[in-house]
Amino acid sequence: MLTDDIITSRLMLRSTREAWGPLCVDIWLDEEMGKYLADPPRDKAGDAYANFGKGIESQEGWFPFTVFSRESGEFVGTCSVVPTEEGGCWDLGYAVHKRFWRRGYCTEMLTALMDWGRREGVRSFTAKVARENTASCGVLRKLGFRVAGEGSFRKRETDIVYPEYTFRLDL
């Protein structure tokens, strides 16, 4: 679903457009950047990935964003919100391009989504993260999230199974 841009001191979170689909997929299917995502390896990705972005502007049920640097316009990453619990909880997803790792961009991106959610009356946020993804787990803990559950997920089209945490932040 389309929404207004979310602007932070360094970032522009913009509703994903069809033309930006290849940027998004490039991170998700990358061996290093997409390691802890459920998305398959690039060589096993099918048509859904080749066509990601088609019709995205009119998709209902979630808010996908493509993130750019305010200063340079460079592609920084992706993030999304999936409303759950009748909109009272938002599940967050995110990926930052490795050129921007360890510079606070993920924290800034998630803070912007959470601030938007607070203004919209959201009462809690969740995020599922591979346990061994220490950087992502650290960001969520820094933002006040706590582990609310454990499980696992399988990387699509592989035999790789990652134990995961479900993080939750109640306001």
Side-chain angles (χ1 to χ4, degrees):
M1 293 188 292
L2 294 177
T3 189
D4 294 336
D5 292 351
I6 300 172
I7 307 297
T8 71
S9 62
R10 300 183 297 167
L11 301 173
M12 295 181 296
L13 286 67
R14 305 188 65 201
S15 289
T16 299
R17 304 293 198 264
E18 183 173 338
W20 301 333
L23 293 173
C24 302
V25 169
D26 193 49
I27 284 184
W28 303 336
L29 303 184
D30 182 84
E31 184 176 347
E32 184 179 11
M33 293 183 285
K35 178 177 180 176
Y36 297 118
L37 302 178
D39 302 288
R42 189 176 309 279
D43 64 341
K44 297 187 181 198
D47 289 342
Y49 289 91
N51 296 312
F52 178 79
K54 289 196 189 283
I56 196 157
E57 291 97 341
S58 61
Q59 288 182 4
E60 298 287 325
W62 71 312
F63 295 92
F65 292 92
T66 306
V67 183
F68 300 93
S69 165
R70 282 185 65 187
E71 183 179 319
S72 67
E74 285 179 275
F75 170 64
V76 172
T78 66
C79 59
S80 65
V81 168
V82 178
T84 63
E85 298 174 16
E86 289 150 19
C89 179
W90 282 3
D91 190 55
L92 306 173
Y94 50 91
V96 175
H97 196 285
K98 65 183 171 185
R99 291 188 318 265
F100 298 95
W101 286 356
R102 295 179 188 18
R103 297 200 284 180
Y105 285 100
C106 189
T107 300
E108 188 171 334
M109 186 187 316
L110 292 178
T111 299
L113 289 177
M114 291 165 48
D115 288 347
W116 175 45
R118 284 183 187 99
R119 290 190 302 273
E120 295 294 316
V122 174
R123 297 179 310 276
S124 59
F125 299 92
T126 58
K128 293 186 177 197
V129 178
R131 281 191 231 171
E132 65 186 72
N133 187 344
T134 56
S136 188
C137 291
V139 167
L140 292 169
R141 285 185 173 105
K142 180 169 74 172
L143 291 171
F145 283 75
R146 299 289 176 250
V147 174
E150 297 185 27
S152 64
F153 69 93
R154 187 173 145 267
K155 189 162 189 68
R156 291 183 198 112
E157 305 300 325
T158 73
D159 293 328
I160 299 169
V161 175
Y162 287 110
E164 75 178 348
Y165 291 127
T166 298
F167 284 90
R168 187 175 181 102
L169 174 66
D170 292 312
L171 303 178

